[in-house]
Amino acid sequence: GREGLWVAAREGVRLVRGDVMGGPLVGVPPGDANVLMENRDGTLWVGTRHGLFVRAPGAAAATRVPARLPHSNVTALRRDRAGNLWIGTEQGGLTRFARGEWSTFGVLQGLSNNQVLEILEDHEGSLWIGTQDGGLNRLADGAFVTWSKAEGLADDVVWPIFGDAQGNVWIGTKAGGLSRFRDGVIEGFSTRDGLSSNSVQSIAQDASGALWIGTRGGGLNRHAGGRFQAWSTAQGLPHSSVSAVLASRRGGLWIGTRGGGLSRFQDGR
């Protein structure tokens, strides 16, 4: 972000500048944050187990947003190209905040499952929604289309969704590995193809076009040229559960782990 790297840790939401990690962000309950999203202007949105919080650029504290949400546990956030805010909640489906109005889309409106885990806007402006046990949804022109294991999706529990520079949509799942959606076709990648674990928690792409996949129990994977390469604790990774991967503007990666803290990964180490 503009001020540094925001991190959701057990101690609270913290700002990393260079090699220094600041104290917890005032206003957000420690250990409550599920998801962070920063606008281009530096506004930080924090989805927590107890609602939505916002911090203005440079502000000393975050404040609670009086959002009209069907459930307080905010699990996904995305701002679309039109400036609308999309919010996924644990059992309340998908909520949109647009032009001062709150609208909710759930099973009754065609969403496959009301437990939303991830939201992505693709290069065409469609929204992709990952759910718990309901597979993958795409919202375009006001209608939902769903893909599940029956349609070739790796698993019906969808965790990260990532749009790469080539226009592919990558879907990480809890137990089936990775799916790639390209030109209407779903292709799967799993441990049979060299992925270190079928439980995929995070996806990123570096400047070279290589894809980085964080897994639960299998460490970090790099996918390039059709092959996977893995890094685990044996290669110096602090923990085998990689919950977050972010490509740095200066090259390399930021890696968040469950139990091993935050690491910087560059030149293969």
Side-chain angles (χ1 to χ4, degrees), residues 7-10 33-35 117-118 159-161 199-204 212-221 237-246 254-263:
V7 178
R10 198 171 296 164
N34 294 320
V35 58
L117 303 178
E118 178 69 298
W159 283 348
I161 309 174
S199 189
V200 175
Q201 299 188 124
S202 50
I203 307 170
W212 294 86
I213 301 109
T215 70
R216 186 168 67 178
L220 182 68
N221 294 252
L237 202 64
H239 199 280
S240 62
S241 183
V242 177
S243 54
V245 183
L246 179 69
W254 288 98
I255 301 167
T257 62
R258 294 188 186 276
L262 180 69
S263 303

Side-chain angles (χ1 to χ4, degrees), residues 4 133 150 180 182 242 245:
D133 298 322
R180 180 178 63 196
R182 179 163 63 185
V242 177
V245 183

Side-chain angles (χ1 to χ4, degrees), residues 8-256:
R10 198 171 296 164
E11 303 82 17
V13 175
R14 307 175 75 174
L15 181 63
V16 179
R17 286 190 178 103
D19 293 324
V20 179
M21 182 177 284
L25 177 62
V26 176
V28 179
D32 246 16
N34 294 320
V35 58
L36 307 178
M37 183 188 73
E38 189 174 11
N39 291 357
R40 288 180 182 172
D41 68 357
T43 300
L44 179 71
W45 298 85
V46 184
T48 78
R49 287 183 290 178
H50 297 95
L52 182 64
F53 293 77
V54 65
R55 173 198 177 265
T63 56
R64 182 187 292 274
V65 178
R68 290 177 53 191
L69 299 175
H71 197 282
S72 63
N73 191 3
V74 176
T75 49
L77 290 170
R78 187 68 61 181
R79 183 174 287 276
D80 67 23
R81 62 187 62 188
N84 304 316
L85 181 64
W86 294 87
I87 305 156
T89 58
E90 184 182 5
Q91 293 293 348
L94 191 64
T95 297
R96 180 185 66 199
F97 182 62
R99 297 179 293 278
E101 298 288 329
W102 297 89
S103 310
T104 294
F105 306 83
V107 172
L108 293 176
Q109 287 75 35
L111 188 66
S112 64
N113 186 288
N114 277 339
Q115 189 159 348
V116 172
L117 303 178
E118 178 69 298
I119 307 167
L120 170 81
E121 185 185 32
D122 68 17
H123 65 287
E124 296 176 345
S126 297
L127 276 191
W128 297 80
I129 303 104
T131 68
Q132 175 81 27
D133 298 322
L136 179 71
N137 297 253
R138 183 174 65 187
L139 176 60
D141 301 321
F144 288 98
V145 179
T146 301
W147 290 267
S148 67
K149 286 182 73 173
E151 287 79 40
L153 193 66
D155 187 34
D156 286 339
V157 181
V158 172
W159 283 348
I161 309 174
F162 181 80
D164 70 17
Q166 291 72 40
N168 304 308
V169 175
W170 294 85
I171 303 104
T173 68
K174 181 180 179 181
L178 198 59
S179 291
R180 180 178 63 196
F181 195 96
R182 179 163 63 185
D183 300 327
V185 177
I186 296 177
E187 184 179 0
F189 303 87
S190 70
T191 51
R192 294 190 302 271
D193 305 292
L195 189 64
S196 65
S197 166
N198 282 337
S199 189
V200 175
Q201 299 188 124
S202 50
I203 307 170
Q205 188 176 33
D206 66 21
S208 76
L211 208 67
W212 294 86
I213 301 109
T215 70
R216 186 168 67 178
L220 182 68
N221 294 252
R222 181 179 185 266
H223 183 255
R227 295 186 177 184
F228 289 96
Q229 181 182 3
W231 284 262
S232 67
T233 50
Q235 285 80 41
L237 202 64
H239 199 280
S240 62
S241 183
V242 177
S243 54
V245 183
L246 179 69
S248 170
R249 291 174 186 165
R250 293 181 292 175
L253 303 170
W254 288 98
I255 301 167

